[in-house]
């Protein structure tokens, strides 16, 4: 069934500079708030003390660093499925297909439940093996396994909320998604010290308390996301439970875009896992430093990913309408805003490196290594910003494989082998960080080549739409 809702949809009418900005800001805020989940946990556990265990905070941060790749993988599958849902749903909304939009929404929620089942099994059966593959330290194994087991077994709130977030974003209800996300983060921030240190009569649970605070916050976001989705999105498509029934053709369409996006997001998890192993060959302090640096830089990169998430439905919607002018404008402003975010982030980290690292109660060696990482890696942020924008543009055009290739070069193909080679050289604890900006530069060259090839096909598609419109007039 067709509908005329798309005629008044703001993604097809609001001036593009304002549209990208107004849709991007809530998504940026949402993604930055997501980064709070990880850095707040790391901050509070770094403050843990025990007279019997010197530098307990270092061990606790190290444990969370080793658990972090799986948390990223959970997010990767949720976000990747959401990206496929978002792009497909936006395109069908642009085409005015209400019935198919309803099925896309229902099937995406069904897929999120299946994703949770996978991580539930991992939490019950696979955590110990995974953690021991990265370290042999008994205390770190104990802390990391306990933390990760809780986050995996109770990951339902995280996984399902991310789908509701993308459904809200696809219809332009970005502020509602941000409110849901912010509420969960606030709950996490409040509960973290209470459950870690045992305030207000709560038992002191240490790193377990950090895990429980995180999953409780995620469930708060889930509940609000569900309420907002059922209330706000019903004017765009049917939100009834009957659309939860899986439909193979819909699932295939979601994952045609979603699987490359999942793999692309998961590469961040695999890179972090690989870097943990590479740096572990140098020192425990290097792993701790990387964990702190990575969670600080997430604020900058997650902001860029938020702009990326705004670009995808905007470009995809207008691509479905074959509106070349708005597609080109969406690309231009999306790229500009992303570069501004990464450039400003690089400057801020360079200027405030000492103050930011000083927040964490870790050893002086780990602190100095983290500052070195910031000094060396941040000059490559502009390359990274262009790459992130190109990834979103390719996803919006349905070119998931090309976007995946770009991500592979950024995160795996160049970065990991180069980092390993640099650990074999003198002053390895300083040189190893240069692998990351070099990888971003190599990826940018690849991105320009890919965009040139894809651009020809996109131009032909948009031109055919213009010809059809002219013929009708």
């Amino acid at each position: 069934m067709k509908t005329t809702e798309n005629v008044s949809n703001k993604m097809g009418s609001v001036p593009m500079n304002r549209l990208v900005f107004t849709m991007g800001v809530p998504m940026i805020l949402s993604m930055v708030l997501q980064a709070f989940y990880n850095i707040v946990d790391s901050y509070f556990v770094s403050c843990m003390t025990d007279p019997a265990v010197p530098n307990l905070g270092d061990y606790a941060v190290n444990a969370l660093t080793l658990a972090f790749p799986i948390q990223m993988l959970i997010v990767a599958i949720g976000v990747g499925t959401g990206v496929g849902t978002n792009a497909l749903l936006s395109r069908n909304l642009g085409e005015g297909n209400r019935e198919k939009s309803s099925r896309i929404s229902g099937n995406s929620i069904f897929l999120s439940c299946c994703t949770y089942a996978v991580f539930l099994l991992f939490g019950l059966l696979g955590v110990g093996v995974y953690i021991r593959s990265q370290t042999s330290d008994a205390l770190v194994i104990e802390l990391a396994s306990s933390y990760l087991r809780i986050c995996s077994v109770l990951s339902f709130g995280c996984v399902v909320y991310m789908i509701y977030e993308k459904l809200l974003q696809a219809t332009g209800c970005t502020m509602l998604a941000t409110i849901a996300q912010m509420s969960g983060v606030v709950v996490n921030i409040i509960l973290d010290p209470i459950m870690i240190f045992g305030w207000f009569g709560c038992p002191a649970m240490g790193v377990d308390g950090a895990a429980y605070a995180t999953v409780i916050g995620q469930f708060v976001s889930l509940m609000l996301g569900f309420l907002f989705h059922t209330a706000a999105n019903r004017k765009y498509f049917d939100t009834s439970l009957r659309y939860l029934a899986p439909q193979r053709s819909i699932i295939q369409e979601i994952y045609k875009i979603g699987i490359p996006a999942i793999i692309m997001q998961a590469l961040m998890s695999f890179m972090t896992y690989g870097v943990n192993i590479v740096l572990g060959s140098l020192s425990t302090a290097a792993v701790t430093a990387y964990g702190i640096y990575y969670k600080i830089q997430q604020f900058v990169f997650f902001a860029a990913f938020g702009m990326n998430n705004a670009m995808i439905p905007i470009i995809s919607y207008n691509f479905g309408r074959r509106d070349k002018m708005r597609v080109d404008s969406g690309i231009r402003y999306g790229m500009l805003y992303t570069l501004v975010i990464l450039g400003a982030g690089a400057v801020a980290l360079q200027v405030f490196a000492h103050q930011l690292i000083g927040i964490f109660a870790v050893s002086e060696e780990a602190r100095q290594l983290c500052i070195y990482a910031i000094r060396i890696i941040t000059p490559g942020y502009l390359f990274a910003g262009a790459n992130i924008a190109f990834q979103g543009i390719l996803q919006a055009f349905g070119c998931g494989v090309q976007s995946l290739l770009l991500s592979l070069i950024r995160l795996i193909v160049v970065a990991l082998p180069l980092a390993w080679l640099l650990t074999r050289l003198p002053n390895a604890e300083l040189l190893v960080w240069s692998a990351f900006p070099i990888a971003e530069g190599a990826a940018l060259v690849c991105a320009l080549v890919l965009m040139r090839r894809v651009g020809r096909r996109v131009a032909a598609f948009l031109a055919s739409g213009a010809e059809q419109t002219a013929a009708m007039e």
Side-chain angles (χ1 to χ4, degrees):
M1 183 177 76
K2 300 285 183 181
T3 179
T4 58
E5 289 276 3
N6 60 299
V7 175
S8 59
N9 193 302
K10 65 182 181 180
M11 288 192 286
S13 58
V14 174
M16 191 59 70
N17 60 336
R18 190 166 80 243
L19 176 64
V20 174
F21 182 81
T22 56
M23 284 190 65
V25 167
M27 292 188 188
I28 289 169
L29 181 58
S30 175
M31 292 296 290
V32 168
L33 289 172
Q34 179 67 38
F36 264 103
Y37 276 114
N38 300 313
I39 202 164
V40 166
D41 283 358
S42 293
Y43 166 72
F44 282 114
V45 301
S46 77
C47 299
M48 291 170 54
T49 59
D50 186 337
V53 184
N55 294 324
L56 177 59
D58 279 38
Y59 285 103
V61 172
N62 199 303
L64 266 60
T65 299
L66 300 186
F68 189 53
I70 294 298
Q71 292 179 283
M72 292 174 65
L73 187 60
I74 294 172
V75 172
I77 297 178
V79 168
T81 303
V83 165
T85 299
N86 196 330
L88 185 61
L89 181 58
S90 295
R91 186 174 301 178
N92 279 272
L93 288 171
E95 294 171 352
N97 194 333
R98 182 182 177 90
E99 176 65 20
K100 187 171 182 180
S101 297
S102 303
R103 296 191 182 280
I104 293 167
S105 169
N107 275 248
S108 67
I109 296 169
F110 167 79
L111 291 173
S112 70
C113 294
C114 296
T115 299
Y116 166 67
V118 172
F119 284 104
L120 171 62
L121 290 174
F122 171 80
L124 296 173
L125 304 174
V127 167
V129 173
Y130 164 77
I131 295 296
R132 284 192 293 272
S133 71
Q134 299 176 85
T135 183
S136 58
D137 188 291
L139 178 57
V140 174
I141 291 173
E142 178 186 352
L143 294 174
S145 298
S146 183
Y147 176 86
L148 183 56
R149 186 171 291 109
I150 294 167
C151 290
S152 298
V153 170
L154 300 177
S155 61
F156 183 82
C158 174
V159 173
V160 181
Y161 165 71
M162 284 186 284
I163 295 299
Y164 285 127
E165 179 184 50
K166 296 301 180 187
L167 293 173
L168 287 166
Q169 290 174 355
T171 58
C173 301
T174 54
M175 185 54 69
L176 293 178
T178 301
I179 291 171
Q181 181 79 354
M182 184 182 297
S183 300
V185 170
V186 170
V187 169
N188 182 36
I189 292 172
I190 293 171
L191 291 181
D192 251 331
I194 294 173
M195 303 183 81
I196 291 171
F197 304 117
W199 293 359
F200 306 117
C202 178
M205 292 184 281
V207 295
D208 286 3
Y212 283 120
T214 295
V215 297
I216 290 170
Q218 291 166 348
F219 272 97
V220 169
S221 294
L222 169 62
M223 289 187 290
L224 290 176
F226 169 76
L227 292 174
F228 292 153
H229 165 71
T230 54
N233 279 347
R234 63 180 58 183
K235 63 183 176 181
Y236 298 105
F237 49 80
D238 195 332
T239 60
S240 66
L241 294 177
R242 67 189 179 94
Y243 287 105
L244 291 175
Q247 186 173 339
R248 185 166 63 179
S249 61
I250 297 292
I251 292 173
Q252 287 175 339
E253 287 189 81
I254 289 174
Y255 279 139
K256 180 181 178 182
I257 302 171
I259 285 180
I262 288 170
I263 297 173
M264 184 179 66
Q265 294 283 334
L267 290 177
M268 297 174 64
S269 174
F270 296 141
M271 183 198 72
T272 304
Y273 176 77
V275 171
N276 285 343
I277 295 173
V278 169
L279 294 179
S281 68
L282 296 177
S283 67
T284 300
V287 177
T288 302
Y290 176 68
I292 293 173
Y293 161 75
Y294 195 88
K295 292 178 182 181
I296 290 174
Q297 65 100 41
Q298 274 191 315
F299 284 95
V300 181
F301 276 72
F302 275 28
F305 288 132
M307 182 56 65
N308 175 288
N309 289 342
M311 291 168 58
I312 291 171
I314 292 170
I315 296 172
S316 184
Y317 180 93
N318 289 284
F319 184 60
R321 298 174 73 229
R322 302 194 183 194
D323 189 330
K324 183 180 186 302
M325 183 177 296
R326 288 185 67 80
V327 168
D328 291 342
S329 185
I331 292 173
R332 183 169 60 254
Y333 284 106
M335 176 66 74
L336 174 63
Y337 294 157
T338 304
L339 291 176
V340 168
I341 289 168
L342 267 294
V347 172
L349 289 182
Q350 286 282 351
V351 172
F352 299 108
H354 285 277
Q355 293 88 336
L356 290 169
I357 305 307
I359 294 172
F360 297 88
V362 294
S363 66
E364 184 62 23
E365 181 184 5
R367 186 176 291 112
Q368 288 301 319
L369 286 174
C370 193
I371 291 171
Y372 287 138
I374 290 175
R375 299 292 187 220
I376 294 169
I377 298 174
T378 52
Y381 276 15
L382 286 179
F383 293 157
N387 289 328
I388 290 169
F390 281 132
Q391 287 176 203
I393 293 164
L394 289 167
Q395 290 170 6
F397 292 146
C399 300
V401 174
Q402 290 87 339
S403 184
L404 170 60
L405 176 60
L406 179 55
S407 193
L408 269 169
I409 294 171
R410 285 184 60 217
L411 302 175
I412 303 294
V413 174
V414 177
L416 281 182
L418 183 56
W420 179 83
L421 286 172
L422 292 172
T423 61
R424 314 268 77 90
L425 300 177
N427 296 320
E429 288 188 332
L430 302 183
L431 291 175
V432 69
W433 310 111
S434 63
F436 302 103
I438 292 172
E440 294 289 1
L444 180 57
V445 174
C446 177
L448 294 172
V449 173
L450 290 174
M451 282 302 302
R452 185 174 181 179
R453 294 178 179 177
V454 170
R456 288 194 290 265
R457 298 200 299 269
V458 168
F461 176 82
L462 294 174
S464 67
E467 292 170 1
Q468 291 175 10
T469 300
M472 291 174 63
E473 292 174 350

